[in-house]
Amino acid sequence: MSVFRPAALALALATALSAGAYVAPAQAATASSVDIPYETFTLPNGLRVVVHTDRKAPIVAVNIWYHVGSKDEPSGRSGFAHLFEHLMFNGSENYPGEFFTPFKAVGVTDQNGTTNTDRTNYFQNVPTTALDTALWMESDRMGHLLGAVDQKTLDEQRGVVQNEKRQGMNQPYGQLREIISDTMYPEGHPYHHTTIGSLNDLNAAKLDDVKNWFRTWYGPNNAVLVLAGDIDLATAKQKAAQFFGDIPASPTMAQPKVDVAVLKQDGRTELEDKVPQVMVNRMWNVPQTGTRDADMLDLFSDVLGGSASSRLDRRLVHQDKLVDSVSTANWASQLGGNFFVRAMVKQGVDPAKVEAAIDDEIKKLIAEGPTADELARAKINYESSFIRGIERIGGFGGKADVLASCAIYENNPGCFRDSLKAVANATPAQVRAAGAKWLANPSHVFTVKPGARKELAEAPAGTPAPFVLPKVDAKYKTTASSVDRSAGVPLPKTFPDLKFPAQQRATLSNGTTVILAERHDVPVVQMNYQFAGGYSADPAGKPGIANFTASLLDEGAGDLDALGFASRKEALGAQLGTSAGLDNSGAYLSALKQNLAPSVALFADMLRKPRFDQAEIDRVKGQWIAGIKQEKVQPSGVAMRVLPALMFGADHPYGNPLTGTGTEAAIASLTRDDLVGFHQQMMQPKGATVVVVGDTTLKEIVPVLEQHFGDWKVSATAAAPAIPVVANIKKPRVFLIDQPGAVQANLFAAELVPSSKDPGAIAFDMANQVFGGDFTARLNMNLREDKHWSYGARSGAAGAVGQRMWRASAPVQIDKTAESVAEIKREMAEFFGGSRNTSAEELVRQQKGLTLSLPGAYETAGAVMSTIASNVLYDRADDYVFTRKAAIEAITPAQVDAAAKTLDPNAITWVVVGDLAKTEAPIRALNLGEVTILDADGKPVPAKK
């Protein structure tokens, strides 16, 4: 969890390609081309409102931030801010039910809530006509919550939060967060404890404690409301006063003073965990958000280790080959920040060598400062990410988020402009000075080594001081409201029409089809070159070759080696990548409009002229194999590795690990000839499709594509593999995977269902929505909201040309493993077995959630591109988004129930990942079916006697 800092300037940097590896940035565009215009006002009760108008889609982002986080929790109250985030989703006095339900009924998108050290926020995008719904709900929980918070609700959400903490702690390296907070800040500092808090403090919380916490912090005068999108100032003023004006202010609470808490001396902490490799994490306490030093440290971080061409990448990954990966970041929060360097040490390498090399590079950068070229690339990285972020009006990092963050932390919604200017004008000397000032201070090194995990002891519950509610400032006044809350939530009678960009087509000389959807809201062009055959085409004995080959395409191409390619990409402000999915392979480009032609030229070199240098093959092999080892220690990762072979058979095209990464032995055996041959075979332009979405036209983009791809010919031939149909098993079976020391069990239930191309796919997906495809679906409401044994339970079947693998999953507290399996089994038997059919209410809720959200679902170019690419893969018509919508609207409960019978609840494959010492006996006692214990490779191991 972290606060937002303007991550980049959205400057349009025109560039020109030279024959060498360096691209010199031209003059930046004017600041007005990247601004987020806004207007602001304050209600008499203290609520600050920020308004940004963006008419590109018929939606409004409603983003409300409360200036309260874990920093404000006194002794004995750790975790209260985060707990209250959860409680505020459980209904209010005038809407006593799940907060999400009315939002699903109006087509909400991008809805969530988060808490960090400094603030709590809630956000959602709603259709313009549903703005009253969102404001009614947000104002009701601000002004009318406490009557809905009872002991049952507190117990329920306390259990959910505790399982959220267990879920985080259960991950590899997951204990480190708790240790970092405790170590980096002294006792009594507001950042000394984690946001999620202590289990003992949460257990000790009384209902009155929780209510007093709300009375103290959640008033309008401690909040900022951002309305962004299809709205204007006059409308915002009228509606903010209507819904929020009569809510009384809360006490005016003083914010803690900035306290960077620079470490007094260097320190070291070592921890053992069930991990496959050593992680070294070196940290400094550095300045708070809103300071120019924080902006300079962002640039220092990028030069040091924040990009593929950074100094640490060059030294540790490419030159000395000491680590599989290295990264740096500067996280600035309200009271102070953290700068860290994190390295994943290669097996067999002494971590001390890694630490020495890191220290050496830091000292060099502090002594020399960045070069002009390094700083130019860092600025463009910083800048281009901002352009891409503000394409969205809401959600994480969108325009509403930027404005709210600035309003909360600096009392200035436009504070991002100061960071934009500081970064644009930064000099090498300024960046060097910031590094010298802060990274010459003491640091702490956290090292996590492979070994036996020991459960961290929870501190005893603290003793809070007696509660005294501070006085409310008399300057705050309420205003009359015409809202009749007894009438219930206002719901719109009309909704915006679904609009999807027109698709234009052309064909390149190489046989590739071009599909263009124009989007001119930000100066970015994205494209996806899509080829038939994904990792289901991996030849026998070479699982992982498709993805491994794809990963090497940007590790040097044409005249550029791996580092030269990375530098060129960064200088252009472009994003490039390749990957293989289950049924297709794709290459991706996101280019700044000003750099479109040179970015496409680099994209073409990546696809047509990959170098496959042996040194890079060897380096990436080491990283890849380390990644596979990491998958095996992650609960969901190991399940996704073993499930396909269990469901399809090891020799089936879909039988390889669902991660697409293959096996250690297969990757180790690959030769350069294997990779060159596979590239020629699978990435063939004839019959391929390039989907382009963004700020361009067919007249403009086709000549650019033709110039760089038109003469691309490949002599090899290949066809996508045939996908045989596999019969489902006839009786249930259970597979257990040991994860010693786990505090949760991860449950998976799987069965095969027909292809995404099957005529009944929409009906089955609707059935899944009712069962487990949504927060309000049966499975999650049972295990999370009713039993509070899990942080979240869900189900679904990912797309596939052949049969799909449907699976339900839930991480649950380990002492409720058998009980949770029994509940999942009961829910499946009732729904898929037909004894508890779909209710009209359930179906309508899912229909509305899936269809009314569509006008807001295509806000970004990426969403449009993904949908078009899926239509190509599954041979769907251009108007599929409209025909699918109509099919969902027309489906009946009886049709959903018929589709549910696709699944046989008595033929389920169960996979349980957890500590066998705590899971095996209870699972066997359920008598679900034959029980087999597997290792992380999916091989049977003998049961212990």
Side-chain angles (χ1 to χ4, degrees):
M1 305 177 208
S2 63
V3 302
F4 169 81
R5 291 184 331 286
L9 294 171
L11 301 177
L13 299 177
T15 58
L17 278 173
S18 64
Y22 172 59
V23 180
Q27 299 237 335
T30 61
S32 62
S33 66
V34 297
D35 196 21
I36 307 174
Y38 69 89
E39 297 170 282
T40 185
F41 60 92
T42 302
L43 296 183
N45 62 4
L47 178 67
R48 291 174 288 167
V49 184
V50 184
V51 185
H52 167 71
T53 302
D54 181 341
R55 305 285 190 184
K56 71 180 177 185
I59 56 175
V60 180
V62 179
N63 195 325
I64 189 161
W65 284 41
Y66 293 93
H67 202 171
V68 58
S70 58
K71 73 180 188 320
D72 304 298
E73 297 162 349
S75 174
R77 296 286 184 264
S78 71
F80 265 45
H82 179 247
L83 174 63
F84 230 95
E85 175 212 316
H86 283 252
L87 287 169
M88 288 178 74
F89 276 115
N90 265 71
S92 53
E93 292 169 1
N94 299 294
Y95 185 80
E98 285 293 332
F99 189 81
F100 296 104
T101 301
F103 283 96
K104 295 291 183 183
V106 299
V108 71
T109 54
D110 222 345
Q111 183 178 31
N112 210 334
T114 68
T115 310
N116 67 18
T117 53
D118 305 314
R119 59 93 187 112
T120 303
N121 69 349
Y122 300 93
F123 51 91
Q124 53 264 313
N125 297 347
V126 294
T128 307
T129 55
L131 179 57
D132 283 5
T133 306
L135 295 179
W136 191 101
M137 291 293 290
E138 286 290 1
S139 61
D140 209 62
R141 67 176 169 185
M142 177 189 283
H144 308 275
L145 183 80
L146 290 185
V149 178
D150 56 18
Q151 190 64 48
K152 179 178 180 295
T153 304
L154 173 59
D155 291 342
E156 172 191 307
Q157 290 307 313
R158 175 163 41 202
V160 170
V161 168
Q162 289 172 339
N163 276 300
E164 181 181 359
K165 179 169 185 174
R166 293 184 185 106
Q167 185 170 319
M169 297 284 278
N170 204 44
Q171 300 304 310
Y173 312 98
Q175 294 179 329
L176 194 56
R177 177 180 290 183
E178 197 92 9
I179 293 171
I180 285 175
S181 295
D182 186 72
T183 304
M184 293 301 292
Y185 295 99
E187 190 170 351
H189 191 285
Y191 291 170
H192 180 66
H193 63 273
T194 61
T195 299
I196 207 160
S198 156
L199 294 182
N200 289 327
D201 279 354
L202 291 172
N203 281 329
K206 302 292 191 294
L207 189 58
D208 283 346
D209 300 333
V210 171
K211 291 187 175 185
N212 287 333
W213 176 262
F214 176 81
R215 293 184 182 105
T216 305
W217 292 104
Y218 294 84
N221 52 315
N222 198 42
V224 169
L225 170 66
V226 178
L227 301 174
D230 188 18
I231 191 170
D232 54 44
L233 180 64
T235 303
K237 283 186 173 181
Q238 182 266 318
K239 291 189 179 296
Q242 177 186 359
F243 289 100
F244 291 89
D246 65 337
I247 300 174
S250 60
T252 301
M253 302 299 293
Q255 289 293 317
K257 292 181 180 180
V258 170
D259 183 3
V260 174
V262 171
L263 296 175
K264 298 185 185 304
Q265 60 186 19
D266 290 329
R268 176 176 300 276
T269 298
E270 291 193 356
L271 183 70
E272 288 189 359
D273 199 355
K274 292 288 292 183
V275 296
Q277 66 188 126
V278 175
M279 181 175 77
V280 173
N281 192 17
R282 184 177 176 186
M283 297 184 69
W284 294 258
N285 287 347
V286 295
Q288 73 277 13
T289 188
T291 61
R292 298 293 71 84
D293 274 359
D295 295 329
M296 295 305 102
L297 285 175
D298 283 338
L299 294 173
F300 190 98
S301 169
D302 191 278
V303 173
L304 179 64
S307 67
S309 66
S310 68
R311 293 192 178 194
L312 287 178
D313 271 86
R314 286 177 180 270
R315 171 77 178 274
L316 274 71
V317 176
H318 293 270
Q319 177 184 313
D320 295 350
K321 298 179 174 59
L322 298 175
V323 304
D324 289 314
S325 64
V326 63
S327 61
T328 62
N330 176 50
W331 293 109
S333 299
Q334 181 177 332
L335 308 183
N338 298 122
F339 189 102
F340 70 82
V341 179
R342 180 174 298 155
M344 303 304 293
V345 181
K346 278 185 174 295
Q347 288 193 344
V349 170
D350 183 355
K353 288 185 177 181
V354 174
E355 292 184 40
I358 290 171
D359 193 58
D360 185 44
E361 291 300 324
I362 291 172
K363 288 177 177 177
K364 285 180 181 178
L365 186 53
I366 287 175
E368 303 165 358
T371 67
D373 290 357
E374 286 175 321
L375 183 56
R377 288 198 302 271
K379 286 184 180 183
I380 295 171
N381 284 342
Y382 206 85
E383 295 154 359
S384 60
S385 67
F386 188 79
I387 271 188
R388 295 179 174 101
I390 64 171
E391 181 186 11
R392 296 180 298 118
I393 59 169
F396 290 112
K399 288 189 278 192
D401 213 35
V402 173
L403 295 169
S405 171
C406 281
I408 283 289
Y409 296 123
E410 299 188 46
N411 200 28
N412 170 19
C415 79
F416 62 92
R417 295 168 180 159
D418 298 329
S419 287
L420 300 180
K421 183 177 179 180
V423 169
N425 295 331
T427 66
Q430 289 173 323
V431 174
R432 187 206 68 78
K437 178 180 178 181
W438 292 101
L439 301 191
N441 291 327
S443 63
H444 197 95
V445 177
F446 300 89
T447 304
V448 184
K449 298 181 175 181
R453 168 180 279 212
K454 296 178 181 178
E455 189 170 346
L456 295 181
E458 284 278 350
T463 302
F467 175 77
V468 178
L469 184 67
K471 292 182 179 180
V472 177
D473 194 319
K475 71 179 181 181
Y476 296 118
K477 308 294 182 184
T478 58
T479 55
S481 172
S482 60
V483 176
D484 178 10
R485 295 193 180 269
S486 66
V489 186
L491 297 174
K493 293 182 170 56
T494 61
F495 293 89
D497 293 330
L498 167 61
K499 295 179 180 179
F500 195 82
Q503 294 162 61
Q504 306 166 60
R505 281 177 164 75
T507 303
L508 301 181
S509 300
N510 64 14
T512 293
T513 298
V514 179
I515 303 177
L516 169 67
E518 296 185 29
R519 295 288 292 264
H520 300 286
D521 46 306
V522 292
V524 173
V525 178
Q526 300 184 46
M527 61 185 68
N528 182 357
Y529 217 131
Q530 187 169 324
F531 305 90
Y535 57 81
S536 59
D538 287 349
K542 297 179 181 178
I545 189 174
N547 253 320
F548 187 74
T549 302
S551 75
L552 280 159
L553 299 191
D554 64 353
E555 296 288 353
D559 295 331
L560 301 173
D561 62 12
L563 288 170
F565 189 93
S567 296
R568 176 73 60 87
K569 174 183 68 175
E570 291 160 12
L572 289 167
Q575 295 178 347
L576 295 94
T578 53
S579 64
L582 183 63
D583 294 304
N584 65 349
S585 299
Y588 170 77
L589 168 67
S590 174
L592 298 180
K593 169 75 171 181
Q594 290 79 3
N595 296 337
L596 180 59
S599 297
V600 172
L602 188 64
F603 187 52
D605 279 351
M606 180 184 77
L607 280 172
R608 300 182 61 177
K609 304 174 185 177
R611 292 165 62 115
F612 293 117
D613 291 335
Q614 188 62 51
E616 304 307 330
I617 294 172
D618 294 341
R619 174 180 60 81
V620 176
K621 271 188 181 181
Q623 296 170 325
W624 200 271
I625 290 170
I628 292 174
K629 293 181 185 297
Q630 290 287 354
E631 289 175 3
K632 290 181 178 181
V633 297
Q634 294 167 350
S636 59
V638 69
M640 293 308 99
R641 291 188 62 81
V642 304
L643 264 170
L646 297 177
M647 304 305 296
F648 292 100
D651 297 329
H652 191 277
Y654 286 1
N656 289 323
L658 198 58
T659 57
T661 50
T663 64
E664 294 105 315
I667 296 300
S669 72
L670 294 177
T671 67
R672 184 179 187 278
D673 288 345
D674 290 332
L675 304 177
V676 171
F678 195 83
H679 169 254
Q680 290 288 312
Q681 180 182 8
M682 295 308 300
M683 293 198 167
Q684 300 188 26
K686 187 175 182 179
T689 301
V690 58
V691 180
V692 183
V693 182
D695 190 15
T696 189
T697 63
L698 206 62
K699 183 178 179 181
E700 177 185 36
I701 194 62
V702 169
V704 175
L705 293 172
E706 186 69 34
Q707 177 186 354
H708 297 291
F709 290 104
D711 63 348
W712 184 18
K713 308 291 182 185
V714 175
S715 58
T717 59
I723 310 298
V725 174
V726 175
N728 269 309
I729 60 172
K730 300 301 182 183
K731 58 183 180 180
R733 53 187 179 161
V734 182
F735 297 92
L736 305 179
I737 300 174
D738 194 13
Q739 189 186 27
V743 295
Q744 281 191 322
N746 282 256
L747 314 179
F748 302 88
E751 192 169 321
L752 300 183
V753 299
S755 160
S756 296
K757 301 171 73 170
D758 185 82
I762 291 176
F764 176 78
D765 288 343
M766 283 301 296
N768 176 73
Q769 281 293 117
V770 172
F771 177 76
D774 179 71
F775 184 93
T776 61
R778 293 183 182 185
L779 189 61
N780 191 64
M781 295 305 289
N782 182 337
L783 292 183
R784 173 181 164 131
E785 298 299 280
D786 181 29
K787 305 295 191 307
H788 45 83
W789 295 339
S790 174
Y791 181 53
R794 59 192 57 85
S795 68
V801 170
Q803 286 167 291
R804 298 188 288 167
M805 180 169 61
W806 176 90
R807 59 185 182 271
S809 61
V812 300
Q813 61 192 68
I814 203 157
D815 61 337
K816 296 296 182 183
T817 300
E819 293 89 336
S820 298
V821 169
E823 284 299 307
I824 297 172
K825 181 175 182 291
R826 180 182 64 79
E827 292 282 5
M828 288 192 297
E830 290 180 354
F831 184 64
F832 299 114
S835 64
R836 184 180 161 212
N837 291 334
T838 305
S839 70
E841 179 184 357
E842 286 177 310
L843 178 57
V844 168
R845 181 168 64 243
Q846 298 303 334
Q847 285 174 315
K848 288 183 175 180
L850 290 172
T851 60
L852 298 180
S853 61
L854 289 173
Y858 301 112
E859 178 195 3
T860 66
V864 172
M865 186 167 67
S866 176
T867 296
I868 295 174
S870 292
N871 289 346
V872 171
L873 177 61
Y874 300 123
D875 301 321
R876 294 166 176 162
D878 285 357
D879 65 350
Y880 179 74
V881 294
F882 297 98
T883 59
R884 175 179 174 271
K885 177 176 181 287
I888 291 171
E889 290 171 333
I891 201 167
T892 66
Q895 290 170 323
V896 172
D897 292 334
K901 290 181 170 56
T902 302
L903 273 179
D904 180 357
N906 297 310
I908 295 292
T909 295
W910 296 89
V911 173
V912 178
V913 184
D915 190 334
L916 275 185
K918 299 177 181 178
T919 61
E920 183 179 4
I923 289 294
R924 288 185 182 276
L926 291 175
N927 293 316
L928 295 173
E930 183 181 1
V931 176
T932 304
I933 299 173
L934 302 178
D935 64 16
D937 292 310
K939 297 176 181 177
V941 297
K944 294 180 180 179
K945 296 184 179 180

